[in-house]
Amino acid sequence: MSADFDVIVVGSGPSGAHAAQAAVASGAKVAVVDVGHVDHHYVDIVPDRPFSEIRRDDAEQRRYFLGERLEGVAARAGAAGAQLTPPRKFIVHEADERLPFRSSTMRPMQSLALGGLGAGWGAGCATYDQRELQRAGLPTEGFGRYYDVVAAAIGVSGTTEDDVSPDVAALRHLQPPLDLDSNASAIMRTYARRRGPLQARGFRLGRLPMAVLTAPLGDRLPNPYHDMDFWSDHRASVYRPAYTIRRLQGEPQFAYLDHQLAERFVEEDGAVTLLTRDLSTDTGRLFRCRRLILAAGAINTARVALRSLGAYDTRVPMLCNPYTYMPFMNLPMLGRPARDRRHSLAQLTAIYTPPGAPDERLVANLFSYRSLLLFKLVAEMPLPPRLGLLAARLMATSLTIAGIHHPDEPSPLRYVELKRRGASGDEIVAECGWSAEEERTRHRRERRLARHFMTLRCLPLSVVRPAHGASLHYAGTLPYADDDRPLTCTPEGRLRGTRSVYVADASPWRYLPAKGLTLTLMAGARRVGELVAEGVRRDRT
């Protein structure tokens, strides 16, 4: 059977984009199959101006801050995408309808957008250390090369000279770090005075490498510090996987096949046939390739694999970082003016290593709160709305949100399985449970972390534990295994039970550190893309 392509990649998110780029660079003829929703509406409405000027002068600001259908106000709390701004809502468009998911304990965010969840990711770029790579099942030998290739390609700003950089910034290609805003600068000054006692208790503070430009890269421009990063991608300073896909579209050996929902694959006669649903015509289509790479995210890669292998009613593991966010007041900034020039993304990152548990580090990314608008904050305050608004205005320049991630490892309480649902097809059913001891341990560590923040003169206001899945970090559904077990992957990423199907996202990981996973996703995907392209070359010879 002849093949249309050497390699087909399912998904255009961080993993899919970089697996495809690596395979193209290795000489393969590559297609990315994707639904590929994009925002055609708000992209031309949001101005390329500072947040403060827009709030002061733009009579049309309600159109994109609240949404023309008030979608920025009416989002159901806890629903997938509830915290997305109106210009980012395209990320979850049709996901509930096309990617059925049912759970009593988990509310994940799924995406059919060009760039997947990477179309709105927070741009944090932490590297994993040797121990973390090993526990995840990734190679420790030579993996740094993939980190460096990705960092050079997407543009990463940061430093190797602060207290957290040995854990998060093992990169050769770094642009200068982003400027800190007034609030983060004040926190760092307090940390410098109290650094010794905090470090003795396992707490360190510094800057997270960010996929945000501080110097030009190709046709992309440095971040303008407009504090509009949650609303627009003007100047393309924050990396999005769509940029890689669009660049690849200029290559003669690459094709981007959009409006295609991958449903299943079949192997026969030395080729893989991918069956899709063409959403523009509601008809089935077939695409053939020598090698297939699944990179649709841990949930939907599992969906395609389980369906293709007929593995219904079979539980596979699921990893998902437990996530808590903790708003607090930075007392040195209370009531004081702040510099207008700032970006909206993570300003600082804190790493807390609990005593006697070096593998159980917590990572907290610190955000200053302004451009997401005060009405969203008021809704979560235990005060009458008018009083809540007054309190929010008073705290505005001192308000900081710590997004706290815990590590995760396999447990029988966390799994997904594919279930038939009659004539309407099938659905993923998942549970993301935690034992009472796991919950107690997490809460105890969060309380200790809160005390460290208080040492920094940051007063916690509350602890918010959203539904599991809010971390947007999913992994582990088709884990790496050294033995030949069904529904696992080989160390090279080949899906067992197949000859030519590979997995390039986090589905094979056996452990999920508390650090952000996206940089490691892209690095690992490049490795798989290279290995797959090398296999195609061997076939030809």
Side-chain angles (χ1 to χ4, degrees):
M1 181 183 293
S2 62
D4 303 313
F5 302 95
D6 293 327
V7 179
I8 289 178
V9 179
V10 175
S12 67
S15 299
H18 284 266
Q21 187 175 54
V24 169
S26 298
K29 183 181 179 184
V30 178
V32 165
V33 167
D34 193 32
V35 174
H37 292 313
V38 296
D39 168 38
H40 291 298
H41 182 71
Y42 289 107
V43 66
D44 295 322
I45 296 176
V46 182
D48 184 14
R49 297 173 59 199
F51 174 80
S52 58
E53 290 185 10
I54 291 171
R55 292 288 287 140
R56 184 178 63 243
D57 300 334
D58 190 354
E60 298 295 309
Q61 59 185 274
R62 61 171 181 78
R63 296 178 64 192
Y64 44 89
F65 281 148
L66 302 182
E68 295 196 328
R69 297 177 301 280
L70 295 181
E71 62 268 35
V73 178
R76 178 168 52 90
Q83 300 303 318
L84 293 173
T85 60
R88 301 286 191 222
K89 290 290 185 181
F90 76 95
I91 294 173
V92 295
H93 179 57
E94 288 193 311
D96 287 346
E97 172 190 350
R98 303 288 185 181
L99 304 172
F101 184 98
R102 177 164 53 91
S103 176
S104 62
T105 55
M106 184 182 185
R107 293 178 180 173
M109 186 186 296
Q110 302 181 89
S111 179
L112 294 170
L114 172 59
L117 295 179
W121 73 307
C125 283
T127 55
Y128 290 178
D129 62 26
Q130 297 286 292
R131 174 67 173 160
E132 290 164 335
L133 290 171
Q134 183 181 49
R135 291 192 67 185
L138 295 164
T140 56
E141 187 86 22
F143 198 82
R145 175 174 74 85
Y146 297 105
Y147 275 140
D148 289 332
V149 170
V150 171
I154 70 175
V156 176
S157 56
T159 180
T160 58
E161 298 178 351
D162 67 18
D163 287 347
V164 301
S165 59
D167 289 311
V168 299
L171 296 168
R172 294 183 180 179
H173 302 286
L174 282 174
Q175 293 190 354
L178 289 156
D179 294 343
L180 297 179
D181 66 11
S182 299
N183 190 40
S185 296
I187 293 172
M188 282 300 290
R189 287 194 295 271
T190 307
Y191 175 73
R193 293 194 299 271
R194 304 181 180 188
R195 178 171 174 263
L198 284 167
Q199 285 197 333
R201 297 196 296 269
F203 180 93
R204 287 170 291 132
L205 187 67
R207 302 188 192 206
L208 181 67
M210 302 290 289
V212 182
L213 299 185
T214 56
L217 182 66
D219 58 355
R220 296 170 55 208
L221 299 176
N223 192 277
Y225 296 98
H226 283 175
D227 197 15
M228 289 291 289
D229 304 290
F230 292 125
W231 305 91
S232 74
D233 290 324
H234 288 306
R235 311 189 193 200
S237 68
V238 180
Y239 173 74
R240 305 293 177 202
Y243 305 157
T244 298
I245 297 295
R246 288 168 180 151
R247 191 174 303 115
L248 285 171
Q249 287 180 282
E251 300 288 342
Q253 71 270 35
F254 177 80
Y256 178 62
L257 308 175
D258 59 355
H259 305 296
Q260 305 300 313
L261 178 64
E263 294 188 327
R264 60 172 53 85
F265 60 80
V266 177
E267 284 191 297
E268 54 184 344
D269 300 333
V272 185
T273 300
L274 179 68
L275 291 78
T276 74
R277 173 65 48 181
D278 188 321
L279 300 187
S280 61
T281 61
D282 196 29
T283 58
R285 294 190 65 182
L286 305 177
F287 301 95
R288 297 184 178 91
C289 58
R290 300 175 186 272
R291 300 282 193 282
L292 177 67
I293 296 178
L294 300 178
I299 295 171
N300 290 299
T301 284
R303 188 192 304 270
V304 173
L306 294 171
R307 184 186 291 142
S308 302
L309 298 174
Y312 287 89
D313 304 315
T314 302
R315 291 184 180 181
V316 294
M318 175 76 176
L319 299 177
C320 177
N321 289 129
Y323 179 69
T324 299
Y325 63 91
M326 187 181 298
F328 57 78
M329 281 191 300
N330 175 23
L331 295 178
M333 283 295 296
L334 185 61
R336 296 188 177 183
R339 290 191 299 274
D340 187 56
R341 183 177 180 272
R342 64 174 75 181
H343 65 85
S344 312
L345 305 172
Q347 297 283 332
L348 298 169
T349 193
I351 297 178
Y352 170 54
T353 305
D359 289 336
E360 300 302 319
R361 290 183 293 195
L362 278 67
V363 175
N365 295 323
L366 275 58
F367 299 78
S368 296
Y369 193 101
R370 184 178 68 156
S371 65
L372 283 178
L373 305 177
L374 292 178
F375 80 87
K376 294 187 177 183
L377 181 67
V378 171
E380 298 197 25
M381 284 188 169
L383 295 170
R386 185 179 296 274
L387 186 57
L389 182 59
L390 290 173
R393 286 174 175 168
L394 174 66
M395 295 187 298
T397 59
S398 69
L399 189 61
T400 307
I401 309 293
I404 304 167
H405 293 269
H406 298 256
D408 192 22
E409 57 189 353
S411 165
L413 299 176
R414 298 183 282 282
Y415 62 87
V416 301
E417 58 185 316
L418 188 65
K419 293 279 191 181
R420 300 183 190 275
R421 51 176 201 175
S424 61
D426 52 40
E427 64 181 350
I428 287 285
V429 175
E431 294 300 331
C432 193
W434 303 86
S435 70
E437 179 58 30
E438 286 177 317
E439 293 278 11
R440 283 193 295 269
T441 298
R442 283 172 44 211
H443 297 174
R444 182 174 63 251
R445 290 172 178 168
E446 289 171 1
R447 288 193 296 271
R448 290 176 179 171
L449 182 61
R451 288 198 292 270
H452 298 327
F453 284 134
M454 291 178 70
T455 301
L456 292 173
R457 302 188 67 195
C458 293
L459 180 64
L461 301 174
S462 64
V463 176
V464 181
R465 296 187 177 95
H468 294 306
S471 67
L472 309 188
H473 297 171
Y474 316 124
T477 49
L478 301 167
Y480 290 121
D482 295 326
D483 56 330
D484 191 12
R485 285 182 286 125
L487 303 178
T488 64
C489 289
T490 68
E492 297 75 29
R494 180 176 58 81
L495 177 63
R496 285 199 167 88
T498 73
R499 297 181 302 276
S500 303
V501 178
Y502 290 75
V503 178
D505 53 31
S507 301
W509 295 9
R510 299 183 300 217
Y511 171 71
L512 200 51
K515 300 172 186 174
L517 76 170
T518 308
L519 181 66
T520 305
L521 277 178
M522 293 186 281
R526 291 197 70 91
R527 171 179 171 265
V528 172
E530 285 185 6
L531 290 172
V532 167
E534 182 181 335
V536 169
R537 284 198 302 271
R538 286 198 304 269
D539 288 351
R540 290 172 176 166
T541 59

